[in-house]
Amino acid sequence: FNSLSSNPLKCFNEFYYLEGGNLTTLDVLSIPSDKTVINDYQFAGLKVSDIEFHSGITSIGKYAFAYVSGMEYFSYNLKLDITEGMFAYSEIEEFTINSEINEIGKYAFRYASITTLNINSHIEKVCELAFANLYEIKDFSMDMVDIFERDVFKETYFEEIVFNHGINEWLDI
């Protein structure tokens, strides 16, 4: 990001930008089209109602959106893996993954405050503790997964869990 208007200023978990000479709270984070890499922890603690990604993003770092809050619904449509701790400790009521990705990384959603999680695609591997400690989860559905590593759902209790097309291998539940 090259300027304050395209690079929000973070202060006490709120992001601000200049608008007409005034500092304004950022409600929606729209990743600029020239920004192709999101670094480790870059938007950790972000408080916004939505994040808009573009298809040119090539890499997302660890814990990039950890501790995110303020979103009722979020739809992940990138064809990039969910990295280690990417949404850990986040407060997003309903989270949906609609794109084909290979992997959901270790600790990806650990301790997140999510009530509904829908994964509408085939995932090759879900790493250890990816969905651990989800204390507010009620509904979880997943299309198809090839491999679940150990302790994926450690200390997570569901009202309903659905695997639409099955699981190929579950390592040490």
Side-chain angles (χ1 to χ4, degrees):
F1 296 32
N2 298 325
S3 67
L4 186 56
S5 63
S6 66
N7 187 12
L9 170 70
K10 182 178 179 184
C11 181
F12 301 111
N13 291 338
E14 298 277 346
F15 279 76
Y16 299 90
Y17 66 99
L18 284 176
E19 181 177 53
N22 297 317
L23 207 54
T24 305
T25 304
L26 183 67
D27 184 48
V28 176
L29 175 66
S30 183
I31 308 295
S33 60
D34 64 338
K35 179 79 172 156
T36 60
V37 174
I38 297 173
N39 298 318
D40 293 354
Y41 300 93
Q42 185 158 8
F43 297 108
L46 178 71
K47 184 177 180 183
V48 292
S49 63
D50 197 13
I51 302 169
E52 296 174 351
F53 293 107
H54 61 83
S55 61
I57 295 173
T58 59
S59 172
I60 299 177
K62 298 185 303 186
Y63 295 89
F65 298 97
Y67 296 94
V68 165
S69 65
M71 289 191 276
E72 289 182 21
Y73 175 80
F74 183 71
S75 181
Y76 186 81
N77 296 308
L78 292 176
K79 293 184 191 279
L80 293 174
D81 291 347
I82 305 240
T83 57
E84 180 179 325
M86 190 167 163
F87 293 99
Y89 299 92
S90 293
E91 295 176 14
I92 304 169
E93 288 181 36
E94 184 176 343
F95 196 103
T96 301
I97 298 173
N98 289 315
S99 55
E100 294 292 324
I101 59 176
N102 295 321
E103 184 174 297
I104 296 177
K106 183 165 67 169
Y107 314 123
F109 293 93
R110 191 169 192 188
Y111 289 106
S113 295
I114 296 175
T115 55
T116 302
L117 184 57
N118 299 306
I119 302 172
N120 301 321
S121 61
H122 174 246
I123 308 293
E124 289 181 19
K125 180 169 125 181
V126 178
C127 296
E128 65 181 297
L129 302 167
F131 303 115
N133 309 96
L134 300 182
Y135 299 121
E136 296 181 31
I137 194 86
K138 290 181 175 47
D139 300 309
F140 180 94
S141 68
M142 180 177 255
D143 218 25
M144 172 72 180
V145 65
D146 289 337
I147 298 173
F148 266 127
E149 287 190 347
R150 67 182 183 84
D151 295 331
V152 167
F153 295 108
K154 184 176 184 176
E155 295 183 29
T156 295
Y157 308 99
F158 303 97
E159 287 183 17
E160 182 176 14
I161 185 167
V162 176
F163 293 99
N164 297 320
H165 295 100
I167 301 167
N168 288 335
E169 187 175 357
W170 197 312
L171 307 176
D172 184 31
I173 356 188

